[in-house]
Structure formats: C-alpha cells, structure tokens
C-alpha cells in the first residue's frame, strides 16, 4: 500500500537528526560517486607514477577517510603503507574491524583533527613525527572533508600539507560538492535555495577557488581541476531524506525549525520522491602536484 503524504512527511522528519556517519553510508551505498572519485584519483596517481622509479615504494595519507575510504585502491598502489586519518573514532573502528576481518595489513588508522594538526608547519611537523610515521607522503587525499572547516582556513591547511607532509614528487587529490552548480535538482541548488530562504546563506565552500588560490600562492605547485556529475537514488524515503538532511547541514550547520523542516520534506516529496527523480551532484576535483 502506498504511503500517504502525511506518513511520508512524518518519516522524513523522523530521520532529520540521524548521525552523520549513517547519512554518509547511505549516500556511499546508493550513488555512483565512488567510481567518479576513483576515476579522478587514478588520473592523479598515473601522473605521479610517471615521475617516480617503478621500484620505489610509495606511501599515502587519506585525511577524513571515514568508514568508506578508498583504501583498497590506495593499498594496491602505495605499498609503503596507507594511513587513514579521521576525527571520527566510530568510523575508524569500523575500518579496523574490516581490516582484521579481511586480514589486510599495511593500513594504519589515526584519530586526529586536521584543523589542529595541519593548521601550521609546527603542528604538521609534530604530527608527522609523532603519529604519522615520520616519512613524507607521496599522495595525500582530502575527499569531502573540507566541509567541516571554514573555507578561509583551507589555503593554509593545503599549503602546510604541501610544504611539510608531501614528498617531492608528490600529489594531493581533493574532492568536494561543486559550489558553482546552479541547476535545479542538484545538491548545490537544493542547499542554496533553502539556506538562503531561511538564513540568507549560500555555500562559500568553493574547491575550484581553492585550487586557483594555491596556484597563485604556491608557484611550485601544478594545479589541475575538473568537475564530474554523480547521482543518488534509493527506494526508501527515510534513507532519501537522511541524505537530504546531510546536504542541508541539519542540525550541525543550520537549525531549521519544525515548519522549515516540514517545507523541505514536502519539497523533496513533490520534486524528487513522487516523480522518482534521482538527486544529482556536481563534484569538483582538484589535483595538486609537487615536483612534477
């Protein structure tokens, strides 16, 4: 039996405060995003491999790895070790159990806050020496982690990583929802529409602008940017809405009141759920190369 509109609204509101790691898992399992990230990341890795001898073992650092990191891809290519760094102990414990269950070695899990550990050269060198094995990394990834800090500190964090944790030759690879997308039906448009309507806010988390700033401020860096589209679709309305609340930054970013949450839920019902329309997301990718 089809659910009534009021039942859908009730279910959508019920998951508004679900934990971010559950929202992330729903997103990861019901999009083609992993293939998109892997394709862009592999392009950066191929460029790096051209610059190092075949017999040289490489190491990778994944910042904000979460519990769905690309560590299998990384471990295959970076035999000197893969370090997964995240602030979320629950996510890291999930990875540890998976590593143990699948008997995977060569992967280290480190809990930390990149806004503290990599905010300046002194902190970065201390973190490298005390917690990250002392060896500079040939690859550093930041996939969907910059959401959790103010955009104004991004250049400082990236330049610190580039200067103090990245080997030469080396590569950094960053991924983030595009701030420049304005098509209705996309995650960027959806966030901007309601955040502006209720709070006068739009996203300032522009990864392409970060790439431009790094290119301007770090002459030795080679910066390459691209944008790809990914799709999200799931056959359960609660799961669909859980991802919507993640995109809307509720409750940690914006405290929408009940009336506002109800309006958002009804909009999603009319424009996505009933028409069976997938949610689209434009993703920006920035690769930063050192010594290439």
């Amino acid at each position: 039996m089809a659910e009534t509109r009021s039942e859908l609204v009730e279910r959508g509101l019920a998951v508004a405060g679900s934990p971010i790691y559950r929202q992330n898992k729903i997103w990861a399992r019901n999009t083609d995003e992993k293939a998109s990230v892997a394709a862009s990341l592999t392009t950066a890795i191929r460029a790096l491999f051209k610059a190092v001898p075949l017999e040289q073992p490489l190491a990778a650092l994944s910042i904000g790895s979460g519990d769905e990191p690309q560590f299998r891809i990384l471990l295959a290519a970076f035999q000197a070790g893969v370090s997964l760094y995240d602030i979320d102990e629950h996510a890291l414990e999930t990875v540890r159990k998976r590593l143990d269950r699948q008997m995977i070695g060569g992967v280290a899990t480190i809990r930390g806050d990149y806004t503290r550990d990599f905010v300046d050269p002194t902190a970065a060198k201390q973190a490298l020496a005390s917690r990250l094995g002392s060896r500079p990394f040939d690859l550093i990834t930041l996939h969907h982690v910059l959401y959790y800090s103010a955009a104004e500190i991004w250049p400082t964090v990236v330049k610190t990583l580039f200067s103090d944790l990245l080997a030469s030759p080396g590569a950094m690879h960053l991924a983030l929802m595009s701030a420049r997308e304005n098509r209705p039906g996309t995650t960027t448009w959806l966030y901007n529409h309601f955040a502006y309507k209720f709070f006068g806010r739009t996203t300032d988390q522009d990864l392409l602008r970060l790439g431009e700033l790094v290119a301007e401020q770090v002459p030795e860096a080679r910066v390459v940017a691209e944008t790809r589209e990914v799709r999200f679709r799931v056959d359960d309305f609660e799961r669909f809405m859980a991802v919507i609340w993640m995109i809307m930054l509720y409750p940690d970013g914006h405290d929408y009141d009940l009336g506002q949450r109800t309006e958002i839920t009804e909009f999603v019902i009319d424009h996505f759920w009933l028409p069976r329309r997938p949610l689209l997301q434009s993703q920006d990718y920035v690769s930063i190369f050192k010594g290439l």
Side-chain angles (χ1 to χ4, degrees), residues 15-290:
V15 295
S18 57
I20 184 70
Y21 72 88
R22 291 181 182 171
Q23 297 169 339
N24 270 322
K25 184 170 291 187
I26 294 169
W27 169 265
R29 291 182 174 180
N30 296 278
T31 70
D32 55 352
E33 183 206 29
K34 293 302 179 185
S36 175
V37 173
S40 180
L41 175 60
T42 301
T43 300
I45 293 174
R46 287 179 61 191
L48 175 61
F49 277 14
K50 290 182 179 181
V52 297
L54 182 62
E55 65 276 9
Q56 178 179 329
L58 304 179
L61 171 65
S62 174
I63 297 173
S65 57
D67 64 358
E68 288 283 348
Q70 306 278 354
F71 70 80
R72 294 177 183 85
I73 295 174
L74 295 178
L75 189 58
F78 294 86
Q79 292 291 298
V82 175
S83 295
L84 305 178
Y85 171 101
D86 200 288
I87 196 171
D88 187 347
E89 180 61 28
H90 181 278
L92 292 175
E93 184 59 27
T94 299
V95 174
R96 293 185 193 110
K97 290 178 180 178
R98 184 179 304 150
L99 294 171
D100 181 64
R101 183 174 66 252
Q102 298 176 346
M103 297 170 286
I104 298 173
V107 179
T109 57
I110 303 102
R111 186 179 184 187
D113 182 348
Y114 74 88
T115 65
R116 296 180 180 177
D117 290 342
F118 310 131
V119 74
D120 60 61
T122 300
K125 290 174 182 176
Q126 182 178 355
L128 180 64
S130 64
R131 303 165 63 201
L132 296 171
S134 300
R135 181 195 191 281
F137 294 94
D138 305 282
L139 175 74
I140 299 174
T141 67
L142 296 100
H143 293 162
H144 297 295
V145 68
L146 293 178
Y147 294 125
Y148 306 108
S149 62
E152 54 262 30
I153 77 165
W154 293 358
T156 300
V157 170
V158 169
K159 288 187 290 185
T160 298
L161 290 169
F162 183 91
S163 299
D164 298 294
L165 268 74
L166 187 65
S168 183
M172 298 178 65
H173 188 258
L174 297 79
L176 205 66
M177 181 182 80
S178 176
R180 303 183 182 185
E181 177 62 78
N182 57 16
R183 291 176 298 160
T186 60
T187 55
T188 308
W189 181 91
L190 189 65
Y191 170 80
N192 284 341
H193 175 75
F194 285 107
Y196 184 79
K197 179 177 182 179
F198 298 140
F199 303 106
R201 294 281 302 279
T202 58
T203 182
D204 63 350
Q205 297 186 321
D206 190 341
L207 188 63
L208 298 184
R209 179 54 183 157
L210 174 62
E212 294 164 357
L213 289 172
V214 172
E216 294 169 4
Q217 299 173 11
V218 187
E220 63 270 30
R222 177 189 169 209
V223 179
V224 178
E226 63 174 328
T227 301
R228 297 170 180 252
E229 183 176 278
V230 301
R231 297 162 295 175
F232 169 76
R233 183 179 60 199
V234 66
D235 292 332
D236 180 89
F237 187 66
E238 286 187 20
R239 290 181 168 187
F240 198 99
M241 282 304 305
V243 167
I244 295 296
W245 297 124
M246 178 179 70
I247 293 163
M248 301 308 298
L249 303 182
Y250 177 83
D252 295 329
H254 301 300
D255 188 15
Y256 303 97
D257 64 31
L258 178 59
Q260 293 165 344
R261 279 178 274 144
T262 301
E263 182 176 337
I264 292 169
T265 304
E266 292 187 329
F267 183 92
V268 172
I269 291 171
D270 291 333
H271 292 83
F272 293 97
W273 186 250
L274 293 180
R276 298 302 181 194
R277 182 183 184 184
L279 183 64
L280 304 179
Q281 176 159 295
S282 289
Q283 290 198 164
D284 292 334
Y285 299 102
V286 169
S287 298
I288 305 172
F289 298 102
K290 182 178 183 180

